Amino acid sequence: MRTLKSLIMPLLVLAAVIFGASTALSQGWDAGGSIGAEARIFSDDPAFAAQEDGVQTSIILEGDFRWRSADRRHQFVLVPWARIDAVDDARSHADLREGFYRFVGDELTVEAGLIKVFWGVTESRHLVDIINQTDGVEDSDGEDKLGQPAIRLTRQTGWGRLEAYLLPGFRERTFPGIEGRLRGPLIVDTDAPLYEHADEERHVDFAARWSHYLGDWDLGLAAFHGTSREPFFVPSTDGQSLRPVYTIISQLSADVQLTRGAWLWKGEAIVREGQGDTFAAFTGGLEYTFYGVTASGADLGLLVEYHSDGRDNDPSVAPPTAFDNDVFLGGRFAFNDMNDTSLLGGAIIDVENGSSAVLIEAERRLGTHIFVEIEGRFTANIDPADALAAVQDDNAVSLRITRHF
């Protein structure tokens, strides 16, 4: 049953989007947004008590408001977002995905507020992407992110782009609630997190990044020190839930992409300390595109990536991962038509035990303002000791229809 608390923030976002759109337009801002409906259909009975069976429906709201001064030096960006879920209270939530001021100087750009940053080049895992916290109730692919409080300084030089980050506030990861699917036998108690540092969520983190291109090469180097976005877990005192533990980590990372004709070679690597023994992890592979495989000009891309992760296997020391020794095989079909139709499919296969996570993503625009997406998440041949074992009964297909305005 829906609770009033779970609906307050999404409804406030809806009111802000509607009121803000009309007000902003009248004041000359660029304003837009979208409203979408989603049905997530589970094919198997739930594995744990209290989980919902069958279809999980929800509504997604997003606003997008932008203002820029006449000389283009001053900008404001505001992107409120919310989901109202019919089943899982924890999935009904709202966030300011972006909400920042930007000053563009002659040599330096300054941004302050809630920002969203993406680092990385690989397809099946975003290993070096660390600034924003994962919105874990949205999807199992980890690509949905919460807005991060930050001050970012950016300078473009002849030898690359330099970015410095001051991150004065930590966002805790979201997790499915008691009614939600795609979770383990114990829910994660997000009201009782544990922190290594006494400043807890007020700890100030730091990051820096250099990126540049040299001919066909795109390169990136980054450093981060602060509260890990990936928690590990310890049982609560009554044994009825898990408490997320956020430790202080230091991480160095590198990402590289080489473009040679139809070939894309990609790689990401990290070295991290602060969660058990210092460990390294790597994701890398290639993508080859066959152009014009149909009379209408569609392209077919084939992808192969390998994952290695040397973190401690003890979940009470380091966050669990499903990418310790895995291969991703996939394909991308771009129809290159007027409706922006595309299809991505593939599987991440554990090299040692054969456990597989299969994904399918298709999208197509209908007319000018309506977008349709279909996503499938499946598991196969799951080993009982694999990290995917807890969600092997949560195979699902999601249908999402979004109206942009």
Side-chain angles (χ1 to χ4, degrees):
M1 181 177 179
R2 316 285 328 122
T3 65
L4 180 60
K5 180 181 177 181
S6 67
L7 294 176
I8 288 176
M9 288 305 296
L11 292 175
L12 287 175
V13 171
L14 175 61
V17 169
I18 296 174
F19 177 77
S22 59
T23 303
L25 284 172
S26 68
Q27 295 175 354
W29 288 46
D30 290 329
S34 65
I35 180 168
E38 180 186 275
R40 189 156 66 171
I41 305 165
F42 293 93
S43 58
D44 299 320
D45 294 335
F48 310 115
Q51 284 185 307
E52 185 69 13
D53 191 7
V55 181
Q56 184 174 10
T57 58
S58 57
I59 296 173
I60 309 116
L61 309 162
E62 184 173 81
D64 192 317
F65 309 100
R66 297 171 189 270
W67 176 87
R68 185 169 58 187
S69 64
D71 62 2
R72 301 189 175 189
R73 287 189 177 273
H74 304 276
Q75 302 171 18
F76 287 99
V77 175
L78 189 66
V79 183
W81 177 96
R83 178 187 291 273
I84 301 173
D85 192 277
V87 172
D88 186 0
D89 273 359
R91 204 166 183 239
S92 290
H93 64 304
D95 185 39
L96 194 58
R97 295 304 204 208
E98 295 179 89
F100 63 87
Y101 163 75
R102 175 187 291 142
F103 171 75
V104 181
D106 293 333
E107 297 183 352
L108 193 67
T109 297
V110 181
E111 295 164 299
L114 289 161
I115 67 172
K116 185 178 287 187
V117 179
F118 175 74
W119 296 347
V121 293
T122 55
E123 182 70 36
S124 53
R125 188 186 189 190
H126 306 306
L127 187 61
V128 305
D129 191 33
I130 197 172
I131 297 296
N132 292 83
Q133 177 61 275
T134 299
D135 193 351
V137 295
E138 282 302 299
D139 201 345
S140 57
D141 60 7
E143 295 186 354
D144 296 281
K145 300 292 182 178
L146 302 171
Q148 171 62 47
I151 298 173
R152 174 167 63 175
L153 307 179
T154 305
R155 184 177 183 186
Q156 189 69 45
T157 73
W159 41 276
R161 175 185 173 94
L162 300 174
E163 300 168 69
Y165 295 83
L166 178 69
L167 308 169
F170 178 72
R171 304 291 307 276
E172 294 163 2
R173 183 168 294 199
T174 61
F175 296 93
I178 188 70
E179 307 96 344
R181 303 289 291 264
L182 294 164
R183 66 169 177 81
L186 299 178
I187 64 169
V188 177
D189 187 351
T190 54
D191 293 327
L194 297 171
Y195 289 90
E196 177 185 5
H197 198 279
D199 288 343
E200 300 186 336
E201 72 273 18
R202 297 178 300 279
H203 185 268
V204 179
D205 304 339
F206 302 93
R209 177 174 167 84
W210 168 83
S211 58
H212 195 37
Y213 66 92
L214 298 170
D216 296 334
W217 295 84
D218 290 288
L219 307 170
L221 298 173
F224 172 89
H225 177 77
T227 307
S228 173
R229 274 52 179 162
E230 284 187 277
F232 61 85
F233 306 94
V234 296
S236 61
T237 53
D238 62 4
Q240 300 300 307
S241 61
L242 298 174
R243 301 181 69 180
V245 182
Y246 296 99
T247 56
I248 298 296
I249 65 167
S250 296
Q251 177 173 303
L252 299 176
S253 67
D255 56 86
V256 58
Q257 177 171 294
L258 171 63
T259 305
R260 288 283 171 83
W263 292 90
L264 284 178
W265 298 82
K266 307 175 182 180
E268 300 183 19
I270 66 168
V271 176
R272 181 186 297 176
E273 67 175 15
Q275 292 173 326
D277 295 335
T278 299
F279 67 90
F282 169 79
T283 294
L286 61 89
E287 178 174 355
Y288 183 83
T289 301
F290 297 92
Y291 295 103
V293 295
T294 68
S296 59
D299 299 331
L300 172 63
L302 301 180
L303 302 102
V304 179
E305 294 179 348
Y306 174 69
H307 305 285
S308 175
D309 197 309
R311 69 184 63 190
D312 198 310
N313 290 326
D314 185 349
S316 66
V317 174
T321 180
F323 299 94
D324 56 342
N325 186 14
D326 297 71
V327 172
F328 170 72
L329 304 174
R332 188 200 321 272
F333 198 88
F335 288 76
N336 295 327
D337 57 0
M338 295 290 291
N339 297 310
D340 299 325
T341 310
S342 66
L343 175 66
L344 171 68
I348 300 172
I349 307 164
D350 190 293
V351 173
E352 298 177 2
N353 60 36
S355 299
S356 302
V358 180
L359 65 90
I360 299 173
E361 299 177 357
E363 57 187 26
R364 179 180 174 86
R365 183 165 47 82
L366 300 179
T368 305
H369 302 293
I370 297 177
F371 212 67
V372 178
E373 300 166 272
I374 299 176
E375 297 176 351
R377 303 283 187 262
F378 311 98
T379 56
N381 193 36
I382 299 299
D383 185 278
D386 194 88
L388 295 174
V391 296
Q392 62 179 325
D393 294 327
D394 291 332
N395 297 329
V397 174
S398 298
L399 170 63
R400 187 180 308 114
I401 300 176
T402 304
R403 170 64 162 87
H404 295 269
F405 56 88

